[in-house]
Amino acid sequence: MSRIAPSLLNLLLMLALLTLLLLSLSIGSVPLAIGDIGRALLSSAAAGADLADVRVQQQVIVNEIRLPRVLLAILVGMSLGAAGAALQGLLRNPLAEPGLLGVSSSASLGAVLCLYYGLSSLSAWLVPLSAMGCAALTTLVLYAIARRSASNLTLILSGVALSSLTAALTSLAINLAPNPTDVQDIVLWLMGSLSDRSFADIRLCLPFIAAGLLLLFACGPQLDALTLGEDEASSLGVNLPRLRVQIIVGTALCVGASVAVTGAIGFIGLVVPHLLRKWVAYHPSRLLLSSALGGAVLLLAADILLRLVSGEQELMLGVVTAMIGAPFFLLLVLRQRLGAAC
């Protein structure tokens, strides 16, 4: 049963993802039927000039407005879900998550410094590179702290301290920004959003997210061995230094590239692994792929929800995920406290 359940779980997650993808393409100010979506996706740009005006409009809506948003939600959700599962496996801490531990805010700081102090004008690729560098540095610091103390409280407080530091530095960058318009743009960007994104944003983050996911997925067997302890894992042939570097680099690639194009979106990497861990028999190797698919499902569902409930002013996606994730985190803390008391 333990061998069948993960495959069935992944199949169900992929079916849910496909359903949400079609739903996301269909909803909006101009509702579209499944047939309209299929025709729009299959129509070529060259043939568009010979189509009726309504079909041209549908093709533009689907291919240039809604499809990039959906694909970006899937990419970012997969990266955050997999990064959260990998960090929890490496640190052997169920509360580890990129947003909670300051990795996402550090990536945001790197992107902000690059965007508002001129480096982004040299090359658009410098934005994700700067974000990934800051994310890697924070992940390395967290791992060093986790090695010295196995306490959940110590790790969480360290993450809060790093988040506060990076938030303060980001606020300083906003304070020193010369243009008030830039200040408004950066504040909205830091809340996290998928709106007004294009295929250019996907091309910017896709290589880094793909490389990060490959690195994280390749760590599965070693993470399974690490559940026995570092000494036991080493005796089984696990190269611990290489594993640490691989997960740190993979997390930095995933989180940094995601934050560079969408802003900070938190709690995906915390909620999804906890919801799915028991369905994969608590195997970190099985959890990686399931968390990636689950992260895509959760983020796309959250994006659909905010589009349905938003009025003239669309809600920010990072706000919605925080409203979902923060109560979930409090429940986890209370559960662990009650378990310790018993």
Side-chain angles (χ1 to χ4, degrees):
M1 185 67 179
S2 62
R3 290 193 294 267
I4 298 174
S7 300
L8 179 59
L9 174 63
N10 292 338
L11 177 60
L12 293 175
L13 289 172
M14 286 188 284
L15 290 176
L17 188 58
L18 178 60
T19 302
L20 291 172
L21 184 149
L22 294 175
L23 178 61
S24 183
L25 291 177
S26 65
I27 64 173
S29 58
V30 180
L32 297 175
I34 299 298
D36 297 329
I37 296 172
R39 283 190 295 270
L41 291 173
L42 295 176
S43 299
S44 63
D50 299 327
L51 297 175
D53 288 344
V54 63
R55 291 195 177 182
V56 174
Q57 293 172 3
Q58 290 174 351
Q59 183 181 354
V60 171
I61 291 172
V62 172
N63 295 329
E64 298 184 17
I65 298 176
R66 296 182 184 175
L67 185 59
R69 180 172 185 154
V70 170
L71 294 179
L72 195 59
I74 293 173
L75 282 174
V76 173
M78 290 185 69
S79 66
L80 295 178
L87 279 178
Q88 291 177 15
L90 176 66
L91 302 176
R92 285 172 289 168
N93 192 315
L95 299 180
E97 191 267 336
L100 182 65
L101 298 181
V103 179
S104 296
S105 58
S106 298
S108 297
L109 174 63
V112 166
L113 293 176
C114 188
L115 283 169
Y116 287 91
Y117 290 96
L119 296 178
S120 59
S121 62
L122 301 177
S123 173
W125 295 99
L126 290 176
V127 178
L129 289 174
S130 178
M132 288 182 291
C134 290
L137 179 61
T138 299
T139 309
L140 187 62
V141 171
L142 288 170
Y143 181 76
I145 294 172
R147 287 198 67 189
R148 293 178 177 274
S149 173
S151 169
N152 287 348
L153 179 61
T154 300
L155 187 63
I156 293 172
L157 291 178
S158 301
V160 170
L162 289 171
S163 296
S164 299
L165 176 61
T166 53
L169 293 175
T170 302
S171 299
L172 179 62
I174 295 174
N175 189 36
L176 297 177
N179 191 340
T181 303
D182 292 341
V183 174
Q184 182 180 3
D185 290 342
I186 189 174
V187 170
L188 292 175
W189 178 79
L190 286 172
M191 294 181 185
S193 177
L194 294 169
S195 63
D196 300 324
R197 300 304 192 267
S198 66
F199 279 105
D201 297 293
I202 295 177
R203 287 192 293 269
L204 186 66
C205 69
L206 179 58
F208 302 110
I209 290 179
L213 288 175
L214 288 175
L215 287 174
L216 295 180
F217 290 156
C219 296
Q222 293 90 337
L223 288 177
D224 283 342
L226 192 60
T227 59
L228 302 174
E230 293 191 355
D231 293 336
E232 289 78 2
S234 297
S235 66
L236 292 174
V238 176
N239 189 329
L240 291 178
R242 185 175 65 184
L243 176 63
R244 295 162 191 154
V245 171
Q246 190 170 339
I247 292 180
I248 289 171
V249 172
T251 300
L253 288 171
C254 287
V255 176
S258 299
V259 168
V261 294
T262 64
I265 298 176
F267 291 103
I268 297 294
L270 174 68
V271 173
V272 174
H274 272 279
L275 292 178
L276 300 179
R277 184 171 283 112
K278 67 178 181 179
W279 297 104
V280 297
Y282 299 90
H283 284 76
S285 59
R286 299 173 183 173
L287 185 62
L288 288 171
L289 178 57
S290 297
S291 291
L293 294 173
V297 169
L298 180 58
L299 190 59
L300 189 54
D303 185 55
I304 291 172
L305 176 63
L306 73 87
R307 290 166 61 191
L308 291 175
V309 302
S310 295
E312 295 182 0
Q313 181 67 36
E314 183 176 301
L315 297 175
M316 305 302 287
L317 184 57
V319 176
V320 175
T321 58
M323 292 176 66
I324 297 172
F328 187 87
F329 172 69
L330 290 175
L331 288 175
L332 288 177
V333 173
L334 291 175
R335 181 188 298 177
Q336 288 206 350
R337 180 169 184 152
L338 290 174
C342 294

